[in-house]
Amino acid sequence: MSVFAYPSEVIRDAEVPLLEAGVPLMARAARALANISIDTLTADRGQIAGARVCVLAGPGNNAGDALFAAATLARRGAAVAIITLFDRTHDEGLSAARRAGAEVFAFTATGSDTAPAGPTRTEADASTAPAPGPARAEALHELVRADLVLDGILGTGGRRGLPEHIASLLADWAPHRTGRLLAVDVPSDLSPDAEGAETRLHADRTVTFGGLKAELVDPRVNEFTGSIDVIDIGLGLDTGLAFAELLDSDDLVTDFPRPDAAGHKYSRGVVGVLAGSEDYPGAGVLTTTSAVNTGAGMVRYLGSAFVAEFVIGLHPEVVSASGRVNAVVFGPGDPEPEFVQAVVDALTDTHIPVIIDAGGLDMVGRAEAMAGTWMADRPIIITPHAGELARLLSRLLGEIITATRIGEDPIGWARQAAELTGTIVLLKGHHTIIATPDGHIVLPEPGPANLATAGSGDVLAGILGTLTAIASARHRYDGDDRPLPSNEWARLAGLGVLVHNAVGQRAVTASGFADALAEVVDELIHGRH
């Protein structure tokens, strides 16, 4: 089901009144981290007793979470080693770990082997602190032989870039690592654009507390976070403050729009399709087929008679006459200009939602397209891939934007494009990103790799057209004159991506996807999922 991701400052602000009231947030977090650590060790080794656990302890509260969890593991029989990496750490957590029998090693920027005040294995030598070499060797030895390492170095308040003594230690450990790595709250040094990725911390699992942090949902950091566990510690976060909403197949099963028993073809939504041309008739067939099979009350084909013959030959229920529509999808297959102009004229002075794909993207942001204000005051969803978005932004910004640059920060570029164009931007790719003009993000779960094939985008356009038409018709027949928020249109687009993902599990070609839609939608409507 939907999971919301929040800016870190929203989560920190929500913690403040609870901490002031004495709510034991750290105890809740540490308990959950200990339980996940126990599950991890049990799965790998069959037992906790005798396991070697190493904590990389920084100066903040995430180190406290790790240290209290380590104390629990030590009481269960694990051999716990704590490596303090700064001149301070979480004192209460460190004391708890020591009382439970953990050994403490210091590896700070000065190279001292002495840990913060308290008994350690090297206390006898504290008056003559050894050179950096032995301290480094000890720390590396503990890391190499650990079955489980807890990364409690830096949390959400930490700056990007680890101090050199820590970065070099981790680089030396990387080729010899055999145990699991759990990141506490967020992986330390989580920087998607940093160099030297092979020697940075790659967590097998990230355990984050209070709410999902925005930095963890960036597609570029997946290799550093591993799987993510979101632990509810009672913050009661306001979803209105969320940065992003993540959707999965459970959302599709729950929220797919099913026909109303009292409905009729017009209340189920009429979608107009302008797709295909004499050069690319297949795009018209694929887009229309997917609109039909997604469950529209009616599909009107608005393109050339040449393409209409192909469409109606396959789907006699499609209407080629103009008339009322609740949404329009146009652009796939570069429809001829005269048909584009006819659709634009019909849309003027209406608020009908529009899906713009492929060739239609050339109209976005152009002064001549805006002259009649046909693109204003209506929901518009544009569906570029990285190359198409690069061309669009290059035109709007007056500088060269490449698909490679888009791939280096897809969320950032999608948000910028949404703000510049005033549209909802659905940036297609393995990790599809949907951005609204106000900066909100919807992230559907990734689909299968075989969706990357010619015509797949035409199928997605048809799906989006029908879902948008259904939502628009329902809103109209409910008698609500207020426009739907852009977040709701973006979420609807996310459901369309999930439908597209589902058909990608059943076919390997675009025509196969379009045909499989009928089966997928039948199962969604009738509950056979």
Side-chain angles (χ1 to χ4, degrees):
M1 297 299 291
S2 290
V3 175
F4 292 90
Y6 299 86
S8 295
E9 57 269 22
V10 169
I11 295 176
R12 288 197 295 268
D13 289 347
E15 291 174 344
V16 171
L18 297 176
L19 291 171
E20 292 176 347
V23 177
L25 299 183
M26 182 170 288
R28 295 174 182 177
R31 186 181 309 117
L33 179 61
N35 289 338
I36 289 173
S37 299
I38 289 168
D39 290 343
T40 301
L41 288 170
T42 301
D44 288 347
R45 304 181 70 259
Q47 62 180 19
I48 309 302
R52 291 194 170 274
V53 176
C54 184
V55 177
L56 292 167
N61 286 337
N62 65 322
D65 299 331
L67 292 167
F68 280 117
T72 298
L73 297 175
R75 288 192 293 270
R76 293 286 296 268
V80 175
I82 296 165
I83 302 173
T84 59
L85 297 166
F86 296 83
D87 57 4
R88 61 187 175 86
T89 189
H90 193 279
D91 292 337
E92 293 180 12
L94 186 64
S95 296
R98 280 190 175 122
R99 288 195 300 271
E103 291 188 294
V104 181
F105 304 85
F107 181 68
T108 65
T110 61
S112 173
D113 262 4
T114 55
T120 72
R121 193 175 72 170
T122 58
E123 184 182 26
D125 301 320
S127 60
T128 56
R136 184 186 191 84
E138 268 193 326
L140 187 59
H141 177 65
E142 295 301 329
L143 286 169
V144 168
R145 66 177 182 164
D147 300 300
L148 177 68
V149 175
L150 301 183
D151 166 18
I153 305 173
L154 295 176
T156 55
R159 294 176 298 176
R160 287 184 175 181
L162 293 173
E164 177 57 30
H165 75 290
I166 301 175
S168 62
L169 175 66
L170 298 179
D172 286 348
W173 172 47
H176 306 290
R177 173 181 153 188
T178 57
R180 301 274 187 177
L181 175 63
L182 292 190
V184 182
D185 209 26
V186 296
S188 298
D189 194 27
L190 187 66
S191 177
D193 51 3
E195 296 180 357
E198 66 280 356
T199 59
R200 287 164 53 211
L201 289 170
H202 289 65
D204 296 291
R205 196 168 180 177
T206 295
V207 185
T208 195
F209 309 110
L212 182 61
K213 277 69 176 179
E215 54 263 53
L216 296 177
V217 303
D218 189 323
R220 299 170 296 168
V221 304
N222 287 352
E223 64 174 307
F224 302 108
T225 64
S227 61
I228 300 174
D229 297 271
V230 182
I231 306 301
D232 182 3
I233 56 175
L235 299 187
L237 296 172
D238 178 2
T239 57
L241 300 176
F243 164 80
E245 181 179 7
L246 283 67
L247 303 179
D248 62 20
S249 55
D250 288 339
D251 293 290
L252 178 60
V253 170
T254 302
D255 297 333
F256 184 83
R258 295 166 175 83
D260 188 328
H264 48 81
K265 63 183 177 184
Y266 294 114
S267 65
R268 285 187 63 186
V270 180
V271 57
V273 175
L274 176 55
S277 60
E278 291 195 11
D279 290 334
Y280 306 105
V285 172
L286 290 171
T287 307
T288 309
T289 299
S290 63
V292 169
N293 288 348
T294 305
M298 181 190 293
V299 177
R300 295 187 186 275
Y301 183 72
L302 307 175
S304 70
F306 175 76
V307 179
E309 287 189 20
F310 290 96
V311 169
I312 296 172
L314 286 171
H315 302 288
E317 64 268 45
V318 172
V319 176
S320 59
S322 60
R324 75 169 80 173
V325 293
N326 301 108
V328 171
V329 51
F330 78 83
D334 292 332
E336 289 83 0
E338 60 267 31
F339 299 107
V340 173
Q341 188 61 53
V343 168
V344 168
D345 292 343
L347 287 171
T348 302
D349 298 326
T350 74
H351 303 287
I352 295 169
V354 176
I355 313 297
I356 304 178
D357 183 51
L361 295 170
D362 287 339
M363 300 181 68
V364 177
R366 289 192 184 277
E368 59 270 26
M370 298 298 294
T373 67
W374 76 269
M375 292 186 69
D377 299 324
R378 75 177 73 252
I380 297 177
I381 301 173
I382 66 173
T383 61
H385 54 61
E388 291 168 333
L389 185 61
R391 290 193 291 273
L392 173 61
L393 287 172
S394 295
R395 174 161 52 82
L396 296 178
L397 296 173
E399 62 176 292
I400 297 176
I401 308 296
T402 64
T404 299
R405 288 181 66 184
I406 299 294
E408 289 170 351
D409 184 12
I411 289 180
W413 286 111
R415 295 180 79 191
Q416 184 172 359
E419 182 181 4
L420 283 171
T421 63
T423 68
I424 296 165
V425 176
L426 188 155
L427 176 56
K428 294 183 288 194
H430 177 59
H431 293 275
T432 296
I433 294 161
I434 305 168
T436 68
D438 64 2
H440 185 71
I441 297 293
V442 173
L443 300 172
E445 66 182 349
N450 58 284
L451 285 171
T453 187
S456 180
D458 303 336
V459 174
L460 176 60
I463 295 170
L464 295 173
T466 289
L467 293 183
T468 303
I470 292 171
S472 180
R474 286 186 174 180
H475 195 57
R476 174 186 176 188
Y477 281 95
D478 285 344
D480 190 346
D481 294 331
R482 295 171 299 176
L484 288 172
S486 61
N487 289 11
E488 291 192 29
W489 290 114
R491 190 178 194 278
L492 185 73
L495 293 180
V497 173
L498 295 176
V499 174
H500 194 233
N501 292 350
V503 300
Q505 302 285 354
R506 307 188 184 209
V508 295
T509 64
S511 56
F513 302 154
D515 292 338
L517 265 168
E519 181 181 324
V520 168
V521 171
D522 175 72
E523 293 171 6
L524 287 167
I525 289 175
H526 296 103
R528 296 187 296 272
H529 46 269

